[in-house]
Amino acid sequence: MIKFDGVSKVYKDEFVALNNINLEIKSGEFISIVGQSGAGKSTLLKLIYAEETPTNGKIFFNDRPLDGISRRKLPEHRRNIGTVFQDFKLLPQKTAFENVAYALEVCGIPKNAIFNDVPQILEIVGLGNRQNKFPHELSGGEQQRVAMARALIHKPSVIVADEPTGNLDPASSMDIMQLLLKINKLGTTVILASHDKDIINKAAKRVLVLEQGRIICDDLRGKYKIY
Ligand code: ADP
């Protein structure tokens, strides 16, 4: 589904974030990307959702090269990839329902479809009874669930989660990981960048270790080890 072929990323001609990455992620996989701060995890994710472009090498998405995507088709590619971040990125003046609905409104989706789809997705993430709460009325774990619902609302084939538990306590972190595992079971490919050993070891899924922009370990039923 996603293939990196000799991909490097150098920022401003001098900061080497990724160095000759060769990687294949299959449809339906759950992969955790680990490594120290600055190892290149976020950059790898940004290349997948096309926020950055590689300096060298090629990235393929469903066999199509990402550099061949026209500007017009870029939003379509991004809708196919749901993103979740450490800081939730919710709109503080909108309720949980409105935060998710907004992602549909900006795409011109009709109101009746919004009123049908949003409660369903909030139910899936376990917020069926919290739809009218504002972000400040929700716990960190609940806010991240809203962000997950928003990421899922376009029915993406991939979820990219960049340190989604970075601001959460251990119990909420485990809940978010369980939710990612549930979404993966329902057929969505999950690509997670994280420092959180406990949640990664709980998943016992593929673990890719980055160090200074290189893959130093790719373990199919991995544990997060210290290298
Ligand atoms: P991680 O997510 O593992 O912390 P990043 O992908 O954010 O790593 O960063 C990898 C390297 O690239 C770091 O050395 C970082 O300082 C550098 N870097 C990331 N983004 C930029 C940028 N926009 N400009 C310059 N250097 C950057």
Side-chain angles (χ1 to χ4, degrees):
M1 174 183 234
I2 297 168
K3 191 172 172 207
F4 278 56
D5 197 356
V7 170
S8 298
K9 176 69 185 177
V10 184
Y11 290 105
K12 298 174 187 143
D13 289 339
E14 56 174 326
F15 302 108
V16 181
L18 291 175
N19 191 342
N20 191 27
I21 299 290
N22 293 293
L23 169 68
E24 214 164 329
I25 300 173
K26 293 197 169 59
S27 177
E29 256 194 295
F30 190 119
I31 179 167
S32 302
I33 299 164
V34 307
Q36 300 198 337
S37 186
K41 304 180 296 296
S42 293
T43 300
L44 195 147
L45 301 186
K46 284 179 184 166
L47 291 173
I48 292 173
Y49 57 85
E51 188 176 310
E52 294 287 354
T53 52
T55 311
N56 285 304
K58 264 189 176 312
I59 300 169
F60 297 86
F61 193 82
N62 291 331
D63 294 327
R64 276 193 300 234
L66 275 188
D67 60 3
I69 292 188
S70 64
R71 285 175 75 96
R72 200 168 53 83
K73 292 261 176 186
L74 204 54
E76 197 180 302
H77 171 66
R78 293 208 176 116
R79 276 199 295 278
N80 201 15
I81 301 176
T83 47
V84 182
F85 300 96
Q86 177 168 354
D87 59 357
F88 320 138
K89 298 192 192 297
L90 299 179
L91 298 166
Q93 263 73 279
K94 290 187 184 289
T95 63
F97 179 97
E98 289 164 351
N99 263 281
V100 181
Y102 186 66
L104 293 175
E105 283 163 13
V106 293
C107 297
I109 306 293
K111 272 208 155 49
N112 59 340
I114 293 176
F115 278 92
N116 183 61
D117 291 1
V118 174
Q120 276 185 30
I121 205 77
L122 285 168
E123 195 66 49
I124 288 175
V125 301
L127 289 177
N129 57 355
R130 315 283 282 157
Q131 302 192 27
N132 297 319
K133 300 283 179 202
F134 289 92
H136 74 268
E137 299 175 300
L138 298 169
S139 69
E142 288 171 332
Q143 291 184 55
Q144 192 59 295
R145 284 166 185 271
V146 178
M148 298 263 281
R150 183 182 54 190
L152 290 166
I153 196 68
H154 291 296
K155 302 185 175 66
S157 53
V158 183
I159 286 281
V160 166
D162 195 351
E163 297 282 356
T165 64
N167 283 336
L168 303 180
D169 60 62
S172 304
S173 298
M174 208 52 93
D175 285 347
I176 291 296
M177 189 59 165
Q178 297 284 13
L179 188 52
L180 285 168
L181 288 165
K182 174 176 162 183
I183 290 162
N184 178 242
K185 256 200 176 135
L186 294 172
T188 309
T189 306
V190 175
I191 306 172
L192 164 73
S194 181
H195 278 102
D196 192 331
K197 293 184 185 60
D198 290 342
I199 65 164
I200 288 165
N201 291 344
K202 165 91 183 160
K205 300 278 189 185
R206 181 177 176 189
V207 176
L208 188 94
V209 186
L210 284 181
E211 191 180 276
Q212 294 182 351
R214 292 178 185 273
I215 296 173
I216 59 160
C217 178
D218 186 357
D219 189 350
L220 285 181
R221 284 194 71 74
K223 290 270 176 206
Y224 187 146
K225 302 172 202 129
I226 307 228
Y227 288 86

